[in-house]
Amino acid sequence: MMKGFLISTLAVVLLLLLSTAQASSNNNNCWKKKEQGSTLEVFHVYSTCSPFRPPEATSWEESVLQMQTKDQARVLYLSSLVARKSVVPIASGRQVVQSPTYIVRAQIGTPPQTMLLAMDTSNDAAWIPCDGCVGCSSTVFTPLKSTSYKPLPCSAPQCNQVPNPTCSGSACSFNMSYGSSTIAASLSQETLKLATDAIPAYTFGCINKATGSSVPPQGLLGLGRGPLSLLSQTQNLYKSTFSYCLPSFKSLNFSGSLRLGPVAQPIRIKYTPLLKNPRRSSLYYVNLVGIKVGRKTVDIPPSALAFNPTTGAGTIIDSGTVFTRLVVPVYTAVRDEFRRRMGKAVVSSLGGFDTCYSVPITVPTLTFMFAGMNVTLPQDNFLIHSSSSNLACLAIAAAPDNVNSVLNVIANLQQQNHRLLFDVPNSRLGVARETCS
């Protein structure tokens, strides 16, 4: 009896070890795919390839609620950017902000140290946690191990391009807020390698201290339009042009791509103009002029979609928000038409999603109508389905009503399995359907 018990126990232990080793091997193999030219792999943070994947939620409903809570806080943060406020009011009192949800691999220093950076189209500078950082994750960049690392002096022109610069001795430092977090960093330069491209003397923030839970664990790659963004620092190399295709977070073992520069970008693609807000020049504003639910164009007050640089009102494309948020008049009109199409089916709610059903959804498509192009989304891009029941919800919500939000945010669930091309020199955004999962 005892011998049998020991054999069974040993077998269980061996199975656990083998499964752990297999999981580790799968994680390592994810990043062994050769990245070609100026194209990087993009993984969702929930991917099995991500070391940041959160613990398994107790249920599908709980995981959706967690994402939505964090997502709402990020929308509040974006609203605070256009309102030029430094503090984001969070109604629940929970200081939690969704970090950007897609990561790319970068190599920093000589010899290179690998970091997995969150990509964020609504921010500019790159920040990387450095050795000795207080409040950072365990994976940090070690400047002492690199022969190409260089702290920037206060006299460097870049010191005037960061928020709240200070001088400690002759070195330039800065501090800033990111959602509910704050960071203190030393302005530095280092060799940055993306795919096969080496970018010498890339300016970034070497984080010395971080508070809160918003700072991405291994750093951030800003894809905005500000002076210290990737686009601005690599104009000669990438011509201020990039595109990405985001994989679905349901496709846990698949990667999308971030393609830098004008080479190999799609030719057959529809465009809409990019608008510029001088108050927040980094954000990618577009002119959303209408929305269709199925074939029906929803009756929306034009003022609710209008671009206004003074107030920050309008519509932005954001890679870090998960669920699209529409200002209240727009969302109400879309939701009501969606419910009308569903007839007498009983509607329920899940957290902030107020349009959920336990019967098949009869709305086949949802179309965003931009100036110059329409983007028609299949159900995968506007519904979330329970893995444990028949429940499905409209995966769009109203913008937070406790900050008088004027900002519509087209989020990454609605962008998944599409190629988005940011052609900044020609002030246009291209969108084409592409299966990248």
Side-chain angles (χ1 to χ4, degrees), residues 331 335 339 347-356 393-394 396:
Y331 175 72
R335 178 201 62 193
R339 290 180 176 182
V347 64
S348 60
S349 63
L350 175 66
F353 297 122
D354 62 5
T355 304
C356 302
C393 299
L394 175 63
I396 294 174

Side-chain angles (χ1 to χ4, degrees), residues 143-166:
L144 290 176
K145 293 182 178 179
S146 173
T147 59
S148 49
Y149 175 80
K150 175 186 174 185
L152 285 180
C154 295
S155 57
Q158 295 92 332
C159 196
N160 295 321
Q161 297 170 341
V162 294
N164 308 310
T166 58

Side-chain angles (χ1 to χ4, degrees), residues 124-127 150-167 170-176 185-190 199-206 226-229 232-234:
D124 293 326
W127 333 309
K150 175 186 174 185
L152 285 180
C154 295
S155 57
Q158 295 92 332
C159 196
N160 295 321
Q161 297 170 341
V162 294
N164 308 310
T166 58
C167 282
S170 61
C172 179
S173 299
F174 67 96
N175 61 78
M176 63 178 291
S186 301
L187 195 61
S188 310
Q189 285 186 336
E190 182 57 282
I199 306 163
Y202 193 86
T203 301
F204 72 102
C206 193
L228 291 181
S229 72
S232 297
Q233 293 197 58
T234 60

Side-chain angles (χ1 to χ4, degrees), residues 239-286:
K239 313 300 181 188
S240 297
T241 303
F242 71 95
S243 74
Y244 58 67
C245 188
L246 303 178
S248 167
F249 53 69
K250 294 187 294 184
S251 304
L252 298 180
N253 296 311
F254 294 89
S255 65
S257 62
L258 171 64
R259 191 174 296 154
L260 301 169
V263 176
Q265 299 293 1
I267 298 174
R268 302 185 65 179
I269 191 168
K270 298 177 292 184
Y271 287 99
T272 188
L274 282 172
L275 309 177
K276 202 157 189 178
N277 179 353
R279 291 160 59 91
R280 282 296 176 185
S281 58
S282 299
L283 299 178
Y284 291 104
Y285 277 87
V286 288

